[in-house]
Amino acid sequence: MLSARHSRFQDVACATTLLLLLIGPSAHAQSASGDIQGTIVDQSGAVLPGVTITVTNTATGVQRELVTDAEGRFAAPGLQVGPYEVTAALQGFATRRQENLRVQIGETSTLRLELGVAALSDTITVSGTAPVLETTRTQVSSVVNSTAVANLPVNGRNFIDFVLLTPGVTRDTRSGDISFAGQRGTLNSLVVDGADNNNTFFGQALGRTGTGRAPYQFSQEAVQEFQVNANAFSAEFGRAGGAVINVVTRSGTNRFSGSVFEFYRDKALNANTAINESLGRPKSPYHYNQFGGVLGGPLVRDRHFFFANYDGQRNTQPNVVFMNVPANVPGDPLTQQALRQLEPLAASWERTQNQDTFLIKTDHQLTNDHRVTLRYNHQNFVGENFENGGTQQSFETTGASKVYTRSFNGTVASVVGSSLFNEVRFQWARDREPGEANSENPQADVRQGGTLVLRIGRNFFSPRETTVDRVQVADTLTWVQGAHKVKAGFDVQMDEILNYFPGNFSGVYVFQTLAGFATGVPNGAGDTYAQAFPGEGTTGPRTQPDINETSLFVQDEWRASDSITVNAGLRYDRQKLAQPAVRNPDAQLAAAGIDTSFLNTDNNNVGPRLGVAWAPVGRRYVVRAGYGLFYGRTPSIMVGTAHSSNGINVQTITFVGSQGNPVPTYPNRFSSIPAGVVLPRPTIFAFDPDYQNARTQQASTGFEWEWMPNTSVSVNYLFVKGDNLPRSTDINIGTATPLTFTVAGTGERLPHYQFAAGPFSNFTRVISFQSTAESRYNGITAELNRRFSQGYQFRLAYTLGKVEDTVPDATAVVPESSADDRKYASNPADFDVDRAPGSNDQRHRFVGSVIYTTDTLASRFGGWMEDLLRDWTLSAIFTMQSGQPYSAYVSNDINLDRNRSNDIAPGTTRNAFRFPMQSSFDPRVARNINLGATRELTLIWEAFNLLNRANYTVVDQTLYAYPGTGTTLTRRAEFGQRLNQADPRIMQLAAKFSF
């Protein structure tokens, strides 16, 4: 069945490729390019029509010729990122050549060139740079340029972390995600070379990089630069209620060049953590090697170019295992037999994080008007024994976590006549993420005295797999006419998704005593055996939550005057989700209008965008304002859960042997549901009939001033209002009865409540995927930004912001999991109870980055001093931020909503506490050693958290212990205890040979 799906998918891919070739010179979806535009005037300021403009990429020799219109205007859209010069020529006037222009991704450089009457000199060359101010930009966006990507230190070399240099951003509480304006990371979109690079199942980047497993999908060495669109961006960008991160990879030029590199880490170079030191523990094991190389150049000068990159990582870490045997273990024969059985399974084992990635990219200037770009990226990650880990986890309970991503992009960019530019893009991508198992035996938790001695057998959810297969076609036409630059286009994306998550299908034993384990039969007090079974005629744990997306947009950049630019656009996004195949026929559900086979398609996602930029001619500032409606995706992990967790696809039964139920003997499992077994009340998921895609309203206003050459100061106010945000909510609750709880020892009386049984008596929990959460963000960002000039550049970014929300989340899909159950609102009957600072609320954040080369300083000296000081590059990132909030909880289900993990402690409110402030200083020192005319060796030292600041990330959040009955709470002394921290000081050595 799966092979047939892939065959059909390949047919679609082939047909789309053929369409791409047929379109030929024809569409610029989410652009990976930049623009140069301007006005030509004479010495009196009068505009000059008919001027021949030649725009030349000085790295590749590729040229584009234009002629100014009746108003003296010209525009060259869709230029490759890189260095340029612009030449303006008109008979009777001296030719004007503007050198050293830099086209950056997503930016428009606006020039005003003055031609003088021809005299002695036929050509006037101006060695200037692109304007610091982007006078036509109305959105809040930042560019992380190639100098920053190449020279700043990044822990783990994941290029996406460079986003953290920009204002208005912080790390999301979900590992691997980035939060903009306090919103959840699932609302962002990552675009690479104009193609969608998101895993639409998990709501993260393809490969789920940065989540603690696969380190990165693209090598840092292969990334040229990227643009961060943070607020009120144009209609050209969509499928994001948060931010759009727009990345362009490197291309070859007319110059052959390459490099090989190696980065080395080891625990000998690191400091110990404060927590380890407080417990008397040594440094944790740590060893990394990251290595690779790049090569690029011309295939045919000025026409055809190539770039290739390989990047590898090798990392091996031990997982120490021991049996956690409590004191005074009984000496009876069965207990001792169990210890002998477990001892060989308690051996320590190793885990790896090994990865290989490579990229091949070619650019072909077929004619002066038609360019073709092809790019293939390949990632193989093997996290051997990475499915599970811990000191009481045997080798049997883990397995290999693997990530295989493949992406092929094709672009045809064409100049059509004097006023049309078109760019068509095609993408085929696959993100396959299987998890393997080391054992065929069921999982077994062996306990004694209430503590886990050892876990053996196959992990309850392995083997598993999630695979996303994608075909994407997009086309954008740009029409330049007078004061208008109009873009219009479409984007169609088809994701076929396989999700196989066999939770509990291999069986799970729990033995409360060692002696019970020795018998192999879970019939002692508290012993259980759980197993899931596929519903007859269903696909069981295998689902296909496919996604088909269609987007249309039109955007007009109107130069209303020399000083005012208006950007007005309209975008339409439609996300069609695969309908579940099974309808639960329960009468109670039907009476409540709950249909497990129905998922509403949100068809009215129309997003207007409007922005204004005012930049008075001759002044060195620009004032901007923008507003827009933006729609986020629904991650398919929600859809897949609704497909399988309907009470029919999967039947999970917990057998209690002590109550006379049939139970197998370890390591056996049932082949089918035993005869006579009464199915338990299941927990089910269903989409709310009125479910809609997440929506945000984004608005901003700001001011940017060219303080000095190459340096600007900007201040922006950001507003983001989110509604229709997703959440998981248990609707199987009754009325709430007020109660008063008493704190033992103090007598403090705290009001609270408990829910009566819910209306759905045939189910335990009825969890509704709703779009009822809300958020509101207000923030001010300030940025001092100097681009690279005279040997140095820097960026200082400060954000003052506040986000309040009502607990949105798109990933709470595993009931009874403490991590997922904690994502629920604490009171499913009154969401406003939890209206409080969001989990991503960070009031203050400052990040500064600087790059300095010593050549200018060295030139002031001579002799040995000049030799000593020359060829050093010093750079650093310094981050300081206030702590994010956390809540105080009760250890049990105090309000009787069947969720033991989300009960806010009475007398407190959600997110009423804060982690301590965090800071990190990350320096880098590099020395280039000249080995000849075209060869050099670079030696690098980097450190992360050089000052070894203890940045705590996990604390004990349980304020009160509650036995599960009665009205007495016991305050826990461990509340607030610091349990984990971010990395201590890590140092890294590297060498790079360039030629």
Side-chain angles (χ1 to χ4, degrees):
M1 174 182 168
L2 184 58
S3 61
R5 286 180 76 231
H6 286 169
S7 177
R8 292 195 303 271
F9 204 75
Q10 289 167 357
D11 290 342
V12 173
C14 291
T16 307
T17 304
L18 179 60
L19 174 64
L20 173 69
L21 296 176
L22 290 175
I23 292 174
S26 165
H28 164 112
Q30 300 175 93
S31 177
S33 57
D35 298 355
I36 294 178
Q37 65 183 26
T39 304
I40 309 299
V41 299
D42 63 16
Q43 290 175 310
S44 69
V47 299
L48 291 174
V51 179
T52 299
I53 305 296
T54 304
V55 180
T56 304
N57 184 317
T58 56
T60 63
V62 173
Q63 294 185 340
R64 186 183 301 180
E65 286 195 355
L66 311 156
V67 177
T68 58
D69 63 13
E71 299 298 324
R73 300 188 182 99
F74 71 92
L79 298 172
Q80 284 188 293
V81 169
Y84 282 82
E85 68 176 26
V86 174
T87 301
L90 181 64
Q91 187 174 2
F93 291 84
T95 298
R96 173 74 175 253
R97 179 183 295 118
Q98 184 87 24
E99 295 182 331
N100 298 325
L101 298 174
R102 185 86 194 176
V103 169
Q104 298 192 134
I105 182 172
E107 289 197 348
T108 298
S109 294
T110 302
L111 307 177
R112 185 178 175 88
L113 302 181
E114 180 182 302
L115 299 188
V117 177
L120 296 178
S121 174
D122 291 330
T123 302
I124 299 175
T125 299
V126 179
S127 184
T129 59
V132 171
L133 301 180
E134 194 180 358
T135 56
T136 61
R137 174 169 61 86
T138 58
Q139 80 273 15
V140 177
S141 64
S142 302
V143 171
V144 179
N145 62 22
S146 57
T147 303
V149 173
N151 292 285
L152 288 173
V154 171
N155 192 351
R157 292 175 54 77
N158 182 2
F159 76 91
I160 295 177
D161 286 348
F162 281 114
V163 172
L164 296 167
L165 299 177
T166 63
V169 58
T170 189
R171 291 196 184 276
D172 191 89
T173 53
R174 184 190 186 200
S175 175
D177 288 2
I178 302 290
S179 170
F180 289 84
Q183 306 305 302
R184 303 311 306 263
T186 52
L187 290 178
N188 300 329
S189 179
L190 175 64
V191 178
V192 179
D193 292 331
D196 192 293
N197 202 68
N198 301 284
N199 182 304
T200 50
F201 183 85
F202 293 106
Q204 296 177 305
L206 287 181
R208 302 188 70 200
T209 54
T211 58
R213 296 184 180 182
Y216 39 80
Q217 183 196 0
F218 289 85
S219 169
Q220 181 181 340
E221 301 291 323
V223 172
Q224 175 79 3
E225 61 187 36
F226 57 92
Q227 177 193 37
V228 181
N229 294 280
N231 187 283
F233 41 87
S234 78
E236 185 179 359
F237 296 96
R239 297 172 183 163
V244 174
I245 303 167
N246 190 19
V247 182
V248 62
T249 57
R250 292 172 63 181
S251 294
T253 66
N254 275 330
R255 177 175 176 266
F256 278 107
S257 62
S259 65
V260 292
F261 61 88
E262 163 122 13
F263 287 79
Y264 169 82
R265 300 188 188 188
D266 189 82
K267 76 172 186 177
L269 302 174
N270 300 347
N272 204 358
T273 67
I275 290 176
N276 277 350
E277 289 179 344
S278 68
L279 299 174
R281 296 174 180 169
K283 295 181 197 176
S284 302
Y286 192 90
H287 186 87
Y288 273 81
N289 287 90
Q290 293 174 313
F291 50 89
V294 301
L295 180 65
L299 296 169
V300 176
R301 286 186 61 84
D302 295 343
R303 286 295 180 183
H304 303 282
F305 311 91
F306 79 96
F307 177 83
N309 159 252
Y310 165 77
D311 194 303
Q313 174 179 291
R314 299 294 181 267
N315 171 29
T316 301
Q317 298 180 4
N319 186 91
V320 177
V321 179
F322 60 89
M323 289 194 295
N324 186 26
V325 182
N328 303 319
V329 170
D332 61 279
L334 284 176
T335 298
Q336 297 306 307
Q337 175 187 331
L339 291 173
R340 290 191 298 271
Q341 287 178 253
L342 293 174
E343 185 175 0
L345 300 177
S348 297
W349 39 271
E350 289 187 336
R351 62 199 319 194
T352 69
Q353 286 180 292
N354 296 340
Q355 177 168 283
D356 296 287
T357 68
F358 67 81
L359 176 144
I360 299 173
K361 184 177 182 182
T362 61
D363 295 274
H364 309 273
Q365 194 70 31
L366 302 181
T367 68
N368 288 340
D369 293 332
H370 305 304
R371 184 183 76 245
V372 173
T373 298
L374 305 173
R375 191 262 291 159
Y376 176 74
N377 192 74
H378 182 106
Q379 173 197 21
N380 280 0
F381 169 79
V382 178
E384 201 65 52
N385 300 324
F386 226 90
E387 284 290 272
N388 208 349
T391 54
Q392 276 71 60
Q393 308 291 327
S394 72
F395 177 76
E396 289 187 328
T397 66
T398 188
S401 299
K402 298 182 177 181
V403 176
Y404 305 110
T405 68
R406 313 283 187 262
S407 62
F408 173 76
N409 289 20
T411 303
V412 179
S414 303
V415 178
V416 185
S418 61
S419 60
L420 292 177
F421 176 80
N422 203 53
E423 193 170 74
V424 62
R425 295 187 179 276
F426 164 77
Q427 176 186 208
W428 171 84
R430 171 174 293 171
D431 184 351
R432 180 170 174 260
E433 301 187 28
E436 299 177 351
N438 284 347
S439 173
E440 290 293 326
N441 295 332
Q443 177 178 308
D445 285 8
V446 184
R447 300 177 175 273
Q448 183 70 40
T451 62
L452 178 65
V453 175
L454 190 68
R455 176 174 291 165
I456 63 174
R458 170 186 291 183
N459 190 298
F460 79 95
F461 57 77
S462 298
R464 59 171 180 84
E465 180 180 348
T466 303
T467 296
V468 179
D469 281 307
R470 170 173 302 154
V471 167
Q472 180 184 13
V473 179
D475 187 280
T476 295
L477 179 68
T478 303
W479 177 53
V480 179
Q481 185 64 40
H484 295 270
K485 182 167 65 177
V486 180
K487 293 182 180 181
F490 70 86
D491 188 340
V492 175
Q493 182 167 304
M494 297 168 287
D495 283 6
E496 285 196 352
I497 302 173
L498 164 71
N499 186 49
Y500 176 64
F501 188 82
N504 296 317
F505 272 76
S506 58
V508 177
Y509 286 82
V510 176
F511 296 98
Q512 295 296 339
T513 64
L514 287 161
F517 169 71
T519 68
V521 181
N523 57 11
D527 290 356
T528 61
Y529 172 73
Q531 186 175 341
F533 304 88
E536 185 177 353
T538 73
T539 60
R542 182 187 296 268
T543 61
Q544 295 176 197
D546 301 340
I547 291 176
N548 290 327
E549 294 180 296
T550 303
S551 299
L552 305 170
F553 83 91
V554 61
Q555 178 80 29
D556 182 16
E557 179 187 296
W558 173 39
R559 296 294 304 274
S561 70
D562 289 341
S563 301
I564 298 175
T565 301
V566 178
N567 281 302
L570 190 67
R571 184 178 179 93
Y572 174 74
D573 288 303
R574 181 176 186 264
Q575 182 185 21
K576 184 179 180 181
L577 307 172
Q579 295 293 316
V582 176
R583 182 177 188 273
N584 191 308
D586 182 81
Q588 292 177 333
L589 295 179
I594 298 173
D595 184 350
T596 62
S597 66
F598 174 74
L599 203 168
N600 181 50
T601 298
D602 191 358
N603 290 315
N604 62 351
N605 293 338
V606 178
R609 317 280 171 87
L610 179 64
V612 178
W614 175 51
V617 176
R619 302 296 180 91
R620 296 187 301 166
Y621 63 83
V622 56
V623 179
R624 303 184 177 98
Y627 170 82
L629 284 180
F630 302 81
Y631 296 89
R633 282 174 161 138
T634 295
S636 204
I637 191 172
M638 300 169 66
V639 183
T641 301
H643 279 222
S644 61
S645 298
N646 48 37
I648 296 176
N649 265 54
V650 177
Q651 310 282 351
T652 303
I653 304 174
T654 299
F655 302 88
V656 182
S658 60
Q659 297 178 359
N661 297 137
V663 288
T665 300
Y666 190 82
N668 297 308
R669 63 173 67 91
F670 292 124
S671 58
S672 60
I673 299 176
V677 170
V678 177
L679 295 179
R681 296 187 306 157
T683 290
I684 67 169
F685 285 80
F687 273 85
D688 184 271
D690 298 322
Y691 180 86
Q692 300 180 67
N693 286 85
R695 182 179 70 176
T696 61
Q697 297 180 59
Q698 299 183 11
S700 60
T701 183
F703 173 88
E704 186 175 9
W705 171 48
E706 184 180 354
W707 179 32
M708 60 179 67
N710 298 300
T711 306
S712 66
V713 178
S714 61
V715 178
N716 289 289
Y717 165 72
L718 310 179
F719 171 80
V720 179
K721 181 181 184 298
D723 55 19
N724 297 338
L725 303 181
R727 62 156 45 105
S728 302
T729 303
D730 185 1
I731 60 174
N732 195 17
I733 57 169
T735 56
T737 300
L739 289 176
T740 299
F741 288 80
T742 302
V743 179
T746 68
E748 183 181 5
R749 294 171 61 82
L750 300 172
H752 208 59
Y753 58 91
Q754 288 185 341
F755 288 109
F760 303 103
S761 59
N762 298 328
F763 302 92
T764 300
R765 297 168 71 180
V766 177
I767 299 174
S768 175
F769 287 132
Q770 300 180 348
S771 50
T772 56
E774 300 174 347
S775 70
R776 183 183 292 266
Y777 175 86
N778 287 277
I780 296 175
T781 66
E783 187 174 30
L784 175 62
N785 189 19
R786 176 186 172 86
R787 65 188 179 191
F788 192 78
S789 178
Q790 298 178 317
Y792 70 100
Q793 78 171 37
F794 58 80
R795 168 179 264 140
L796 307 178
Y798 170 72
T799 304
L800 169 66
K802 179 181 180 181
V803 62
E804 288 188 345
D805 62 36
T806 58
V807 203
D809 190 272
T811 60
V813 296
V814 183
E816 314 308 325
S817 159
S818 59
D820 274 15
D821 272 356
R822 184 156 288 188
K823 299 171 185 176
Y824 287 62
S826 66
N827 187 337
D830 185 1
F831 296 133
D832 273 339
V833 169
D834 285 330
R835 190 179 296 275
S839 297
N840 288 326
D841 182 57
Q842 194 158 65
R843 298 299 168 84
H844 305 276
R845 188 171 193 274
F846 170 82
V847 58
S849 60
V850 61
I851 300 169
Y852 175 74
T853 60
T854 61
D855 290 356
T856 302
L857 175 64
S859 64
R860 300 175 184 174
F861 300 86
W864 66 270
M865 273 294 287
E866 182 176 4
D867 293 338
L868 178 64
L869 293 176
R870 184 173 296 279
D871 297 324
W872 292 86
T873 300
L874 311 177
S875 60
I877 299 173
F878 176 69
T879 305
M880 180 181 294
Q881 58 194 26
S882 56
Q884 292 176 305
Y886 67 91
S887 303
Y889 293 98
V890 179
S891 66
N892 216 319
D893 184 15
I894 190 174
N895 66 358
L896 302 185
D897 67 349
R898 294 169 300 278
N899 186 334
R900 297 164 49 92
S901 302
N902 71 331
D903 292 84
I904 304 292
T908 70
T909 57
R910 170 177 171 252
N911 284 338
F913 302 86
R914 293 268 172 175
F915 286 96
M917 183 195 76
Q918 297 186 347
S919 67
S920 182
F921 177 59
D922 306 336
R924 183 183 200 256
V925 178
R927 176 69 194 273
N928 296 330
I929 301 173
N930 192 344
L931 301 179
T934 60
R935 299 184 301 275
E936 68 179 15
L937 175 67
T938 304
L939 302 178
I940 301 169
W941 169 84
E942 295 178 336
F944 306 99
N945 192 12
L946 178 67
L947 304 180
N948 200 30
R949 166 89 179 188
N951 294 313
Y952 294 100
T953 58
V954 180
V955 299
D956 189 313
Q957 294 180 231
T958 305
L959 179 61
Y960 294 118
Y962 176 62
T965 59
T967 58
T968 299
L969 302 174
T970 303
R971 184 170 181 117
R972 296 178 66 256
E974 296 85 356
F975 174 73
Q977 179 180 330
R978 295 167 179 180
L979 303 177
N980 203 358
Q981 67 179 82
D983 288 330
R985 178 174 62 247
I986 295 173
M987 292 196 292
Q988 178 169 274
L989 303 176
K992 178 184 290 188
F993 173 68
S994 304
F995 54 91

